[in-house]
Amino acid sequence: MDYFKKQLDLLKTERETDRKSYQQMTETLSVAERRANGLTWYPIAIRGSEMSRGDYLTVEVERTTHQDIPHQLRFGAAAVLFSNHDRKQDHLDGTISYQGGNRLKITLRTDELPDWASDGKLGIDVLFDDNSYDEMQSALKQADALQDKTPENKLIKILTGEKKPAFHTGLPPYVNPRLNASQQAAVSKILAANDLAIVHGPPGTGKTTTLVQAIKALIQQDRKQILVVAPSNTAVDLLSEKLSDEGLNVLRVGNPARVSERLMSLTLDSKISEHSSIKEIKRLKKQANEFRDMAHKYKRNFGKAEREQRKALFDEARKIMKEVGNTEQYIIDDLIAKAQVITATLVGANHYTVKHLQYDTVVIDEAGQALEPACWIPILKAQKVVLAGDHCQLPPTIKSDEAARKGLSTTLLEKCTALHPESVTLLEEQYRMHETIMGYSSAIFYAAKLKAHASVAQHLLFSTDSPLSFVDTAGCGFDEKSEGTSTTNPEEAAFLFKHLTMLVTELGAHYQPKDFPTVAVISPYKQQIQLLKEQLLHSPALLPYADRISVNTIDSFQGQERDIVYISMTRSNTENKIGFLSDIRRMNVAMTRARKKLVIIGDSGTLSQLGFYADFISYAENNNAYQSAWEFMDM
């Protein structure tokens, strides 16, 4: 089957599954349940409105309660303003044009708010994200059409494995004392590549630092604009800030996830507000809104003359807004032309302000977590692509098991690493973990090539502590329990906190509260996490350190690190079932979060069914890190 046809089929399956689960979630749920699932802001208050381009109205709203609930209302998402008096009848579709903190702006397809908007009980629902799927589908179709055209298809043929990438020979090696040898080799490879370079960055190896220096070097090399993208806003924010710190002119397209002053100043909105032509725009907008307000004084049931007067005022307001649009476009073009680096999410690379741009080089960070169809959106704008990430860590989240099984979970990074080993540089020196914590992961996933930098290789919590501990609960009767679709193990959770309490007591002799080590307690199972969070609240000895202890799923810790990490493996049964513990990439993430101490608690009998865990237990024994939970039972 043709390459892109297959991708289109997989994407279609994923879209249908995603849509079904969204519909199930929304159609049957009350407003409070939708809010708890992060799909709704309710209640909200309207804080202001202004005319925007076309016949659209932009309304600023604030959520007034439940402000701590995480939500999925993002910049660019389709959303609906509704009245809870009669949600089916009273609603208006729109697009979120800004979101920060507890405020957002929604651009509605209307020129004035309906009467029901003043009756209270207002909320905003995020709609199913058709836009992202449309953009991915359109990119795949475009790539399919370009396959047979030259020269446009050279990069496509390389990425799909039909051609080999080429490199400039004779370039001097890149030298930068701030980078280690493998990081410098990665930058050299990026500078020499004509079409494709891959940076394979295992945990703690300074992938972001390497990319930032590579982007700086590329700009010095040919002074052309570079597009830098990643699947998540958080990853884009990190790169945007670091690139700006290096003195580059960065334009962040879209809304940052982290609302820091630093990041806001890099956004298009912020740069527009500082532009020399902004005074003119403000004057025109004020004028347009005055005309609109005058028009609103004429209600629809007035006579013919009033209706005509009202129409004339709206026409005048629209004419002025058109002028505003032209002036804004001039400013946007000017700002884009001056930017050295444009940063966005994968889908954000097609934001209307930058949709038309082409680049010599596109850099895709966190490519190990990016859906392949989404990668084609920025790739079609490039002559050369740099992929950076780690396909030995978590793959992208996929809703459809069928699509995942048939290949959607295999990322472009993974395929290209296998197809074009000559394009890959492995970053070999890590700056996070004690070498014993690193050792097993290095042997299994990175061909034993990782080495620990001298600053971390031997670092411990205190001089006589051990960096690794596997505590075996086999034979203790800690049986797992099924909780719906998830699994829990209450006894293992209780034992974990007993062990952590002993460690914290011991650490009290070595640390002041203000510099106390940070702790992560993680598990692959959501229900086990709920249980652990509850038990933490009932562990009086740990409460003074509660602000240093985070409890969450493995997935939510990807990219993070802590001094101490506890992993609750949860599974313990006589049928030797380990469920999705068999996804060893998830375990690679879990095992590589710890800087100075890693404690894994699990049942060797159940775990040893998989070679990966059997070998890990042998590794723990060889490093004097194996203990039985029985040793702690009478404490």
Side-chain angles (χ1 to χ4, degrees), residues 265-296:
S265 67
L266 304 177
T267 61
L268 199 52
D269 284 351
S270 168
K271 292 192 178 205
I272 288 174
S273 69
E274 287 163 14
H275 198 275
S276 53
S277 308
I278 195 65
K279 281 200 179 82
E280 175 62 4
I281 283 189
K282 281 188 171 155
R283 187 185 67 74
L284 288 167
K285 272 189 172 171
K286 190 173 173 225
Q287 210 178 344
N289 281 316
E290 279 167 6
F291 279 122
R292 187 194 66 157
D293 292 343
M294 281 157 66
H296 283 165

Side-chain angles (χ1 to χ4, degrees), residues 393-523:
Q393 291 186 61
L394 283 171
T397 306
I398 293 168
K399 304 266 172 57
S400 159
D401 292 342
E402 184 193 344
R405 204 175 49 249
K406 289 184 175 171
L408 194 61
S409 61
T410 308
T411 58
L412 193 61
L413 174 73
E414 202 171 341
K415 290 179 189 172
C416 288
T417 301
L419 289 166
H420 306 301
E422 68 277 27
S423 290
V424 182
T425 311
L426 175 72
L427 302 181
E428 293 176 357
E429 195 161 22
Q430 64 84 18
Y431 297 82
R432 175 183 298 163
M433 295 163 269
H434 186 287
E435 61 190 9
T436 309
I437 298 175
M438 171 201 82
Y440 187 65
S441 177
S442 175
I444 299 295
F445 295 99
Y446 308 108
K449 286 184 177 164
L450 278 193
K451 49 184 183 287
H453 185 259
S455 62
V456 301
Q458 294 296 321
H459 67 179
L460 294 165
L461 292 167
F462 51 91
S463 59
T464 54
D465 192 38
S466 56
L468 178 67
S469 178
F470 174 73
V471 186
D472 188 358
T473 64
C476 292
F478 293 180
D479 294 336
E480 65 179 64
K481 307 200 171 11
S482 282
E483 298 267 340
T485 54
S486 197
T487 306
T488 62
N489 192 324
E491 281 108 334
E492 183 180 287
F495 175 77
L496 184 149
F497 281 117
K498 187 176 174 182
H499 192 284
L500 176 57
T501 302
M502 283 162 48
L503 177 63
V504 163
T505 309
E506 202 175 354
L507 291 173
H510 301 273
Y511 293 92
Q512 294 298 316
K514 67 175 188 310
D515 58 0
F516 201 81
T518 54
V519 183
V521 177
I522 59 183
S523 166

Side-chain angles (χ1 to χ4, degrees), residues 23 51 63 73 118 134 140 159 163 182 189 313 317 323 339 375 391 401 468 488 518 551 580 582:
Q23 280 171 337
M51 289 185 77
R63 65 169 168 173
L73 282 75
S118 51
D134 289 344
L140 291 172
L159 295 174
K163 277 193 167 161
S182 62
K189 175 88 38 126
L313 288 165
E323 208 179 318
C375 290
H391 49 282
D401 292 342
L468 178 67
T488 62
T518 54
V551 183
F580 80 155
S582 55

